[in-house]
Structure formats: structure tokens, C-alpha cells
Amino acid sequence: MRKVIMGNHSLSYGALLSRVQVISAYPITPQTQVVELLSEMCASGELKAKFINVESEHSAMAALIGASAAGARTFSATSAHGLTLMHELLHWAAGARLPIVLGNINRAMAPGWTIWADQTDSLSQRDTGWIQFYCSSNQEVLDTIIQAFKISEKVLLPSMIVLDAFFLSHTYEPVDIPDQVVVDEYLPPYKPKYVLDTKDPHTFGGITSPEYYYEIRYKMEMGMRESVEVIKQAGKEYGELFGREYGLIEDYRCEDAEIIFITSGTAASTAKVVVDELREEGKKVGNLKIRVFRPFPFKELRRIIEHAKKVAVIDRNISFGHHGIFAQEVKSALYNHSNIPVFGFVAGLGGRDINPQTIKEIYHITESNEYPSEKVFWIGVKK
Amino acid sequence: MQKDKKKMRESELIIIEKESDMPPMAMSLGYMTYNKTGSWRNIKPIINYDICIDCMICWKFCPDACVLIENGRPLIDYDFCKGCGICAEECPKDCIEMVEEGK
Ligand code: SF4
Ligand code: SF4
């Protein structure tokens, strides 16, 4: 069934089709619409889930940790300050190896008080042990939720599905809503191996001495590494059933490209349009979208940009005193493998538009300089 | 009996040689019969039983549940007592003395 829906509702439909059993949420704009629709689905009986209203995002995640440990399939959504309030529990959810799935609508952090798109909120959660997907369309949002449950339940790590505020969250797009029967085939009910059970009592997350903590972290990292193949497999199987295949990255006209944009989120869609336009002018250019940020797609990225002459990384975020965060990660992936110049661009913070002109300006800076003359280029600063 | 067996299994579980034998998360790795957290203590409560009237106020107040009742008398479980001094503070007979460890 094809429907025209907003990004927020793509998250809701993804959760519905995944047959989530517990939803816990505190309303923060714009995720409000995600749980608004889910609460209606729960009220009407369309979705048989327990909907828990809580008093903060910290509690929202805490409630899901409890529910997930008891064996339920769990979902929540949040944004910006809500996500950062969850920070402590994000560590806990991943450390407890709970396959919770969370939608995060990328919004900038205050001050200045803002509700517009920026990736700094979710990228600040980089080291919590969550798998992170950055989506570029409402269809991808919905499809990724369903895949995320499959992936998370296999590797026992939680997943965060990230989408840009307004550019996706409130933008209506035609979305194919998959058939529940086929989704059920793809995503069977969650059967946890380790579960809170009064008949087989165990201490979960109890005091852990240096004797064992270290190995527990090692196992988390192994889970994250394993997830690389699991994500690929889940994306491939999804493609076979629903006709839309997904991977860790998405490369667009990169084969013979000399300059490759590295993008994420909605900027990736705009970059594809710019690639087409520049190709018409005879420029050899391509776009590589990073869909999965954690685990970072080292090999996949290297393979695509191997033959390029330069890459231009577009970051809608900034790590103060360093680079944009994607640029840092790309550089770390290339170190010891390639000397290709990496141009780092910061653009679109706090919802400033990243339009085709922005990306063309980025192209021209990259094309006309042999090496990046600045550590980070800030595009569009009023001067 | 059943319970004792269970306890034994749990405590055996936490002697693990290999990473591959461990659960993926911190599950029953911190069973308290093994984690003798009393070792964190630097002052310890000592009850003067000549004055003690067995009112069990110390038993009630200990936040770590490590005042046991043994034959109707309070007995501090030093394997787990943290030395917080709450028992000494609450004792109506003032008969619990906090003594520096090692003295
Ligand atoms: S010192 Fe504190 S922990 Fe120890 S027995 Fe007294 S109240 Fe309990
Ligand atoms: S509170 Fe004091 S008097 Fe009462 S049982 Fe404990 S040690 Fe004895």
C-alpha cells in the first residue's frame, strides 16, 4: 500500500509493522507526532502494545530497558535535548545488550533555542555502543526500523534511526507501506536468549569486578563488529522481499569519479541531484552516502573512494576544536590506507539549508584546490 | 534445599576462565556471595554486647542489610558491612563503636 506520509509517521508505521510490544515516550517536538500516532494505534487496538507515558526521556529509556530485559520488543523516539537527557541510559541499554530501537529526529542543541536540523545531538552519542543509521527518505526511515529490529535482536545491541528535523520529519513523501504478512516473515517475534525471569533468577547489570568488566566490553565490540555483516545481510534480505536493498553505504555514480562527496541524511539526496547536474557539465563526480555511522563502514568506504582523487565530506555538525565528525571518521578510515586529500566542510547547522548551490560551492572549492587550504571550510557564513 | 543448589550454581557461574564462556552482558557476574564488598570498609562497627538490649534498631537501619539476627542478638556481617556508621548513630544504647580497620 502506498501512502503519502511524513517522516515522523514513517517511524510510527515502522514500529507498528515491527509489532513492538512496549513504547515509552516523553513528548518532545518534533517526535511528538511519532508517539501521537502510535498512541492512537494502541488505543484503537491496531497495535497491541503497552504505551507508557513517562516524566522524562531519561525515564523513557529506563522503562524500555526494563521492558526489553523482560523480553519485549521496545521502541521510543526522541530528539535533541531529549536524546542527550537519555545519554546515561543509552550507555546502559547498549551495555546490557538490549535490542531497543529508537527513532531520533536530528535537531540542533541550544542555545540559541532551536528546533531545526543538525546532527550534533545523535553524533554526541557516538560512543554509547548504539548502532546508528542516518536516513535520507521517509521510505528509508520505515524500512530501516524493521531491519533495525532484526539486526539488533541478532547482535544484541540497540539501534538508533536518525532523520533530519523538518527536511524529513515534517516532509510528506510517498511511502510504500509493506504488507504485514511479509514483514512478519522477515521479522519473526523476538525470542530473547537472556531474559528476566522469576523462574530462572539472575542478577542483570550487577556489580562487576575488573575480573569480568573488561571482557564484557570486549564482547560489546565484537557484537558491533559482527553487526557489519548482519546489517548487510538484513539489507539484502529486505531487498529480496520488498524490492529495496540497503547497505552500510550507498554510492552514486562513483565508479569513475575523481571527486566524491561524502554525505549523510537529506544532504545525501541533494548531493545526488548536484552530481547529475555536474555530470552534465562533464565533471567526474559522485556521491557516497554514509547510511550506517556505527559500526563505521571502513572497508566499504575505502573500496568506493580508492580511485578518486579527492573527497569532500559534508558535515551538518561540528566537533569544536576539531572537524565535522564525519570528516574525522573518514580521515581515520583512510589513515594508513590512502593519501587522498580529504576536504572537510561544515554546512547547514541549526537547519540552515544545504541546497544545490551549497553543494556546488563545495565542489568548486574542492576542484580548485590541490589540498585543503583550511582545516574545515564553513560554507555560507555571512561575512 | 532447592534454593541452596541454585545459590551454588550461581556462585560457580562466576568463575569463568574464558571470554567465550561468559554471557554477553553482566549477568550473574556479580553474585554477592563472591563480591565481598566489606573489603571497601575502613572503619568497622563493634557491638558491646554487655550493654546491647537486642532492640534490633541497628538491624532495621542498616542500609546494606548486613546486621544479621543470630540467636536473638544482632550480629554484624563483616563480609558486607561498609562501615557507614548508621547503626552506631541509631543505637539507643550507644553501644556500637566505630573502630578504624587494622587497629
Ligand atoms: S556500619 Fe553501616 S553497613 Fe555496617 S552494619 Fe552498621 S549500618 Fe550496616
Ligand atoms: S541498636 Fe544497639 S542496642 Fe539495639 S540491638 Fe543494635 S546494638 Fe543492640
Side-chain angles (χ1 to χ4, degrees), chain A residues 149-194:
Chain A
F149 277 110
K150 197 178 178 80
I151 296 158
S152 284
E153 288 167 12
K154 178 99 204 291
V155 300
L156 299 181
L157 285 170
S159 287
M160 195 182 294
I161 314 309
V162 185
L163 52 149
D164 289 329
F166 299 110
F167 299 117
L168 277 192
S169 71
H170 291 70
T171 300
Y172 281 75
E173 291 181 338
V175 171
D176 178 53
I177 315 263
D179 187 10
Q180 182 72 64
V181 179
V182 193
V183 175
D184 288 347
E185 188 186 321
Y186 177 80
L187 182 69
Y190 173 42
K191 289 215 183 65
K193 200 169 156 208
Y194 308 92

Side-chain angles (χ1 to χ4, degrees), chain B residues 24-88:
Chain B
M25 70 283 276
M27 180 179 134
S28 295
L29 291 175
Y31 196 62
M32 294 313 284
T33 54
Y34 262 78
N35 277 309
K36 302 229 160 116
T37 48
S39 63
W40 303 352
R41 184 183 58 237
N42 54 24
I43 46 173
K44 81 195 237 183
I46 294 182
I47 301 173
N48 183 339
Y49 288 101
D50 295 338
I51 307 172
C52 168
I53 53 164
D54 304 330
C55 69
M56 297 306 162
I57 284 178
C58 53
W59 167 82
K60 181 138 191 151
F61 273 88
C62 173
D64 232 333
C66 49
V67 178
L68 313 174
I69 302 173
E70 199 79 7
N71 302 321
R73 305 224 76 181
L75 178 73
I76 290 166
D77 184 347
Y78 292 112
D79 280 348
F80 301 103
C81 162
K82 308 287 182 299
C84 70
I86 290 175
C87 53

Side-chain angles (χ1 to χ4, degrees), chain A residues 33-291:
Chain A
Q33 289 163 316
V34 183
V35 289
E36 208 170 61
L37 182 58
L38 281 169
S39 68
E40 283 166 18
M41 288 166 170
C42 288
S44 73
E46 186 184 5
L47 173 60
K48 289 186 183 43
K50 173 93 184 152
F51 191 100
I52 313 173
N53 262 319
V54 284
E55 71 285 359
S56 77
E57 286 82 2
H58 192 273
S59 307
M61 187 47 62
L64 292 192
I65 287 170
S68 183
R73 184 172 284 162
T74 58
F75 176 81
S76 187
T78 189
S79 210
H81 292 264
L83 182 70
T84 51
L85 181 56
M86 272 183 194
H87 178 75
E88 179 196 0
L89 281 312
L90 295 179
H91 277 286
W92 187 281
R97 306 297 298 270
L98 299 169
I100 297 167
V101 172
L102 176 73
N104 181 65
I105 292 109
N106 259 157
R107 275 173 54 200
M109 298 298 294
W113 193 254
T114 168
I115 52 170
W116 289 278
D118 188 316
Q119 300 169 318
T120 308
D121 58 348
S122 56
L123 291 171
S124 302
Q125 315 310 322
R126 186 185 67 174
D127 302 331
T128 53
W130 281 61
I131 295 170
Q132 285 197 346
F133 297 90
Y134 287 77
C135 298
S136 308
S137 71
N138 290 351
Q139 183 73 63
E140 187 181 2
V141 170
L142 184 147
D143 291 341
T144 305
I145 291 277
I146 299 167
Q147 291 166 56
F149 277 110
K150 197 178 178 80
I151 296 158
S152 284
E153 288 167 12
K154 178 99 204 291
V155 300
L156 299 181
L157 285 170
S159 287
M160 195 182 294
I161 314 309
V162 185
L163 52 149
D164 289 329
F166 299 110
F167 299 117
L168 277 192
S169 71
H170 291 70
T171 300
Y172 281 75
E173 291 181 338
V175 171
D176 178 53
I177 315 263
D179 187 10
Q180 182 72 64
V181 179
V182 193
V183 175
D184 288 347
E185 188 186 321
Y186 177 80
L187 182 69
Y190 173 42
K191 289 215 183 65
K193 200 169 156 208
Y194 308 92
V195 71
L196 277 181
D197 181 1
T198 49
K199 290 189 205 83
D200 180 25
H202 288 275
T203 318
F204 283 82
I207 187 166
T208 305
S209 65
E211 195 70 33
Y212 299 112
Y213 184 91
Y214 189 68
E215 278 72 21
I216 289 292
R217 293 290 131 162
Y218 173 79
K219 289 170 97 75
M220 251 176 101
E221 170 60 9
M222 291 305 116
M224 200 45 114
R225 283 195 202 169
E226 182 199 343
S227 74
V228 170
E229 284 312 311
V230 175
I231 292 167
K232 282 188 197 162
Q233 187 58 30
K236 201 166 155 272
E237 275 174 42
Y238 198 88
E240 283 159 12
L241 282 174
F242 303 99
R244 293 179 296 276
E245 196 175 318
Y246 294 91
L248 291 116
I249 57 165
E250 183 201 295
D251 53 302
Y252 183 70
R253 303 186 82 168
C254 287
E255 312 78 45
D256 61 338
E258 292 175 356
I259 292 178
I260 294 181
F261 298 123
I262 299 184
T263 52
S264 58
T266 48
S269 308
T270 313
K272 287 199 314 198
V273 174
V274 175
V275 164
D276 287 345
E277 288 177 10
L278 290 170
R279 283 268 176 185
E280 268 177 32
E281 293 170 25
K283 311 277 193 196
K284 287 189 169 169
V285 56
N287 180 61
L288 187 152
K289 163 183 144 158
I290 295 184
R291 175 174 180 251

